[in-house]
Amino acid sequence: MEQTRDGTRRTWWLPRTVVRLLDAAEHTETQWAQAARTRQASAAVTEPLSRARQARAADGRQTTSPEGPTASLRPYNGELEGQLYSVLSRKPGTSRRVAGWACAVCRTAPATVLDHCHEHGYVRAPVCQSCNTQERPDHRYSNDIRVANRYTRLFHTDTDHWLRHWHRCPGCRARTTLPLPHLAAWTAHTACRSLRPTHRAPRGRKPCGVLRVSWTGSQNAPRSCLLTVQVDFCPSGEHRVLAQIPYRESAERFRAWLAETAPAVAAAAGPDRLNGLPAQFRPIIADTSGEDLELF
């Protein structure tokens, strides 16, 4: 502040303060404008990518994500078909090779394990951990399994897809069958569905309890192997055993059902492809620890 000759006072700091305030306001306004332009540009780029991801997910053909590490994954095209898991799993670099594929089932996630048939020993395909877990029964014990909601997807909503995956095993494809646990579950869930009793419920009638299927003998001796389908947790304690079906009869029923349900899979199967297959089935590996995710 300064006093002039005529006695008036002149202030120098006020204009500089105003300028600083105006500069700050202008700077803030510029930042807001830049942020708005950035958001608009980002939205313009993200929206088409989002639509593209949704479209690829809708038609089930997405093999990679437009962003992230899955972008370089390659689709699995049967490169390991006919190879034995016991041999391939010991080869150096197999894990690294598996990680380079997209999951052969969902086609979106990176593969982490080689799904293989424990009954015949053949590799099916590289799959992600989630898909490898999906084909497990809800509960499995030494010689029986509980057949609950999971098999609704495997044998109804996604039947063709899963049957095609299981029949990547040359043994299952040649014999037109499934590994014993899956064949037992199919027998209980599909072939014996009409035998399952119902009880009154607030909205009509409800299927009784929970299905369970057990077996005596093994797939190594098809003539003596017997599947027993029963109901657990029946409210009235009834309906324990629904049916007892020999293994061979169950396999015949499955072949007829497969030809009707998934003709393309059935057409690719058959006994004319038995050359080079082992004469004996491998025994089913018991799940004693609950940690092995590659039972079937």
Side-chain angles (χ1 to χ4, degrees):
M1 182 176 292
E2 177 183 16
Q3 184 173 359
T4 60
R5 293 179 181 179
D6 57 3
T8 60
R9 293 173 179 261
R10 186 164 52 193
T11 303
W12 293 105
W13 55 265
L14 183 58
R16 286 196 295 270
T17 302
V18 173
V19 169
R20 284 196 297 270
L21 291 174
L22 291 176
D23 287 345
E26 183 180 2
H27 178 68
T28 302
E29 184 178 359
T30 301
Q31 285 185 322
W32 286 346
Q34 290 177 347
R37 286 194 295 269
T38 302
R39 284 194 298 271
Q40 291 174 357
S42 177
V45 172
T46 303
E47 187 176 355
L49 289 177
S50 178
R51 285 199 299 266
R53 281 195 293 265
Q54 292 172 2
R56 285 192 292 269
D59 66 15
R61 290 191 298 270
Q62 180 179 358
T63 58
T64 60
S65 170
E67 300 172 359
T70 59
S72 61
L73 296 175
R74 63 186 185 278
Y76 177 72
N77 295 312
E79 290 88 343
L80 305 179
E81 183 177 359
Q83 298 194 42
L84 291 173
Y85 177 79
S86 60
V87 175
L88 193 60
S89 62
R90 290 196 294 265
K91 286 186 176 180
T94 296
S95 298
R96 184 169 60 253
R97 187 182 179 191
V98 167
W101 273 301
C103 173
V105 176
C106 69
R107 305 181 186 180
T108 59
T112 57
V113 296
L114 278 178
D115 185 30
H116 64 285
C117 176
H118 278 247
E119 197 159 296
H120 301 115
Y122 289 100
V123 170
R124 291 195 190 108
V127 298
C128 67
Q129 200 70 51
S130 176
C131 290
N132 196 38
T133 304
Q134 283 180 19
E135 62 177 301
R136 288 167 59 90
D138 293 271
H139 298 279
R140 182 175 183 232
Y141 307 95
S142 58
N143 67 331
D144 68 326
I145 56 179
R146 186 176 297 167
V147 184
N149 296 333
R150 181 165 293 182
Y151 282 98
T152 300
R153 179 186 68 255
L154 298 181
F155 294 138
H156 289 287
T157 56
D158 298 329
T159 304
D160 186 84
H161 189 68
W162 278 103
L163 288 171
R164 194 177 301 275
H165 173 66
W166 284 323
H167 280 79
R168 285 184 169 117
C169 166
C172 291
R173 188 169 65 245
R175 294 185 169 97
T176 320
T177 187
L178 295 176
L180 178 56
H182 284 317
L183 182 65
W186 174 87
T187 302
H189 187 75
T190 304
C192 295
R193 181 172 47 185
S194 60
L195 302 177
R196 189 176 181 182
T198 59
H199 292 286
R200 290 182 180 179
R203 298 181 181 179
R205 299 188 69 86
K206 181 180 179 182
C208 174
V210 177
L211 287 176
R212 179 190 293 271
V213 57
S214 58
W215 53 87
T216 56
S218 73
Q219 75 286 354
N220 291 331
R223 292 182 180 180
S224 61
C225 185
L226 183 69
L227 309 181
T228 299
V229 182
Q230 60 188 21
V231 173
D232 282 351
F233 312 121
C234 171
S236 61
E238 303 172 351
H239 322 304
R240 292 295 297 174
V241 176
L242 300 184
Q244 288 187 314
I245 302 176
Y247 176 91
R248 284 189 167 182
E249 180 182 341
S250 177
E252 289 296 330
R253 290 190 187 190
F254 174 76
R255 292 186 187 99
W257 176 83
L258 181 69
E260 180 180 352
T261 305
V265 179
D272 58 326
R273 296 166 178 80
L274 287 172
N275 292 338
L277 295 181
Q280 290 290 330
F281 294 101
R282 295 181 64 200
I284 293 294
I285 298 176
D287 182 17
T288 57
S289 66
E291 298 176 355
D292 182 10
L293 296 180
E294 300 173 280
L295 288 174
F296 311 126

